[in-house]
Amino acid sequence: MSITVRPVGYADQPDYTRLGGEAFGTPDGGRPLPTREEWAASGFREWAAFDSDGMAARLRVYGFTSWFHGARVPTAGVAGVAVEPERRGAGHLAHLFAAALDEARERGEAISTLFPSAPGIYRGLGYEVVGSFDDVDVPLPELGRVAAPSGIVTRRAGVADFDAITAVHRTWAAAQNGPVSRAEKPFWTPPEKFFADYTGVTLAVDGSGEVVGFVSWVRGEGFTPASAVMEVDDLIALTPDAARALWRTIGSFSTVVGTARVSTSGLDPAWLVLPGLTTTVHSAHPYMLRVLDVAGALGGVRSPLEGARVPFAVRGAQDLDGTWTLTVSDGVTHVERDAVALEDAHHERPVLSPNGLALLYAGAQSAGNLRLAGHLTGSPARDAVLTALFAGRQLHVRDYF
């Protein structure tokens, strides 16, 4: 069957919207088509695969930057993937992703991420699960046991505090792997809209007047602890006392709210100040990553391993296959393709699958664990260095797209 893959135009919107509705559901009354102006201003890139029967598959790409290894990395976030049910399994998705990721690579996007509905499908395309974005329920009575903070006061934030809030998020995000920088659409939000989205945004302020944390929250309905749930989008703190102050502010609602539903991932340091972790995962959204450009992703990583030299290879994806040498000089990594034939690499250097490369880069697994999972073969002599190069930061996700 002949398959054509191309960017979606405005004339394709009826089929694009219909296919999305079949995959993700349609609200009562249907989903309206965007106006031409809304569509042109959206900022994302839409792709579709067509066969003789018309549009068979679609996806959307968001271009943004996310934090990995202390730097903002150009990222292609993939969402809205849908295949018409009668054409599933016919290979449309592989063609669709190949074209969309080729364009992403040409735009300088070094990695791609997505939230999968079926991780197995995307593993075959080189993506791997590196973390999870979770909504976690915290009983508010538990927060009453948080130790009182020292030297921190809380106050309600206003539009004038937006830059301080952005600075707290940037400082926190730079120490993690995975957070979206929120510097580009659709994740950059004008200050007025940011505050309009919440019942309140509470700041933690230290003795010098510096903002060292914030929590954004929606009060929700109801006033009985047995049923009322408040939603917390961000609880980000730069000091333990700031975290204590913010948790205690949420806990002060315990007479009328029973649960805080907190958007989180990993074991954020803010959780470490809690006296216990009596929590329940309400919903979990696995997060997958794929490397698009080996040198672009692995190069430029700050590293204390001055003088380290690691020849390695990648095998299993046509766009990534090859042999490379990573060196550390002037405190950062440098990656260059070398001339060793891929078929000869197994004897003298570690060989990563595309999935193993994603896990290693995200700091989600050690080289030893990658070997146990079959994603790292070849010489084990440099496994400890590989692990040390990319470990040290937790994977945290805060934004769903």
Side-chain angles (χ1 to χ4, degrees):
M1 179 182 295
S2 176
I3 299 174
T4 300
V5 177
R6 61 170 173 80
V8 168
Y10 186 70
D12 300 309
Q13 284 303 302
D15 285 337
Y16 187 90
T17 301
R18 172 191 58 80
L19 196 53
E22 291 181 3
F24 306 111
T26 303
D28 292 341
R31 191 178 301 278
L33 295 178
T35 66
R36 185 179 292 274
E37 292 73 20
E38 290 170 339
W39 177 77
S42 65
F44 44 70
R45 292 118 59 188
E46 294 174 337
W47 287 80
F50 301 82
D51 58 24
S52 58
D53 293 323
M55 186 181 293
R58 50 153 265 181
L59 60 74
R60 176 178 295 149
V61 180
Y62 298 88
F64 54 87
T65 55
S66 48
W67 286 97
F68 281 88
H69 306 290
R72 282 170 47 187
V73 179
T75 304
V78 178
V81 180
V83 182
E84 193 170 69
E86 293 82 3
R87 281 120 111 184
R88 289 171 186 161
H92 294 84
L93 211 56
H95 292 281
L96 185 59
F97 266 81
L101 296 184
D102 277 348
E103 186 212 30
R105 197 177 293 107
E106 291 170 1
R107 295 171 69 98
E109 291 162 351
I111 60 175
S112 176
T113 57
L114 56 82
F115 289 98
S117 55
I121 293 174
Y122 301 103
R123 282 195 170 109
L125 299 173
Y127 290 83
E128 190 50 74
V129 176
V130 295
S132 180
F133 173 55
D134 301 335
D135 290 323
V136 175
D137 287 352
V138 182
L140 262 65
E142 289 288 310
L143 301 181
R145 299 193 296 116
V146 174
S150 175
I152 297 290
V153 297
T154 58
R155 66 171 175 85
R156 185 67 59 90
V159 171
D161 298 302
F162 185 75
D163 287 347
I165 290 169
T166 300
V168 168
H169 178 270
R170 182 172 58 246
T171 300
W172 169 83
Q176 322 299 326
N177 279 341
V180 173
S181 72
R182 301 181 181 175
E184 304 88 14
K185 290 182 177 180
F187 304 107
W188 181 83
T189 306
E192 294 78 6
K193 184 179 185 307
F194 173 81
F195 287 100
D197 285 343
Y198 299 106
T199 306
V201 178
T202 300
L203 303 181
V205 183
D206 69 13
S208 68
E210 182 179 358
V211 176
V212 289
F214 72 96
V215 57
S216 53
W217 48 276
V218 177
R219 166 61 177 82
E221 298 181 359
F223 52 89
T224 59
S227 60
V229 177
M230 70 186 303
E231 296 180 0
V232 175
D233 267 7
D234 278 319
L235 194 154
I236 295 178
L238 304 184
T239 70
D241 281 312
R244 293 184 183 101
L246 297 174
W247 282 120
R248 284 171 65 92
T249 298
I250 297 301
S252 70
F253 283 91
S254 62
T255 58
V256 289
V257 176
T259 301
R261 185 159 293 158
V262 184
S263 296
T264 188
S265 56
L267 187 58
D268 191 288
W271 292 80
L272 299 180
V273 304
L274 299 182
L277 282 177
T278 308
T279 60
T280 303
V281 175
H282 175 76
S283 60
H285 309 279
Y287 194 59
M288 301 189 83
L289 182 144
R290 187 195 198 277
V291 172
L292 302 181
D293 178 350
V294 175
L298 274 62
V301 174
R302 297 187 184 93
S303 175
L305 303 180
E306 188 70 22
R309 181 178 182 276
V310 182
F312 68 98
V314 181
R315 182 196 295 271
Q318 186 175 357
D319 61 312
L320 297 177
D321 283 358
T323 56
W324 312 80
T325 297
L326 181 152
T327 57
V328 180
S329 61
D330 299 324
V332 297
T333 59
H334 306 270
V335 180
E336 294 184 0
R337 188 184 287 272
D338 58 39
V340 175
L342 187 58
E343 56 268 23
D344 297 329
H346 188 85
H347 302 292
E348 63 179 31
R349 61 181 69 197
V351 181
L352 291 152
S353 71
N355 310 74
L357 180 64
L359 288 163
L360 183 73
Y361 172 75
Q365 295 287 350
S366 66
N369 280 350
L370 294 182
R371 288 192 181 275
L372 294 177
H375 289 307
L376 177 60
T377 57
S379 171
R382 296 176 177 87
D383 281 9
V385 178
L386 275 177
T387 299
L389 282 166
F390 298 101
R393 283 180 167 84
Q394 289 193 48
L395 197 293
H396 284 291
V397 188
R398 279 291 194 277
D399 299 280
Y400 194 77
F401 54 89

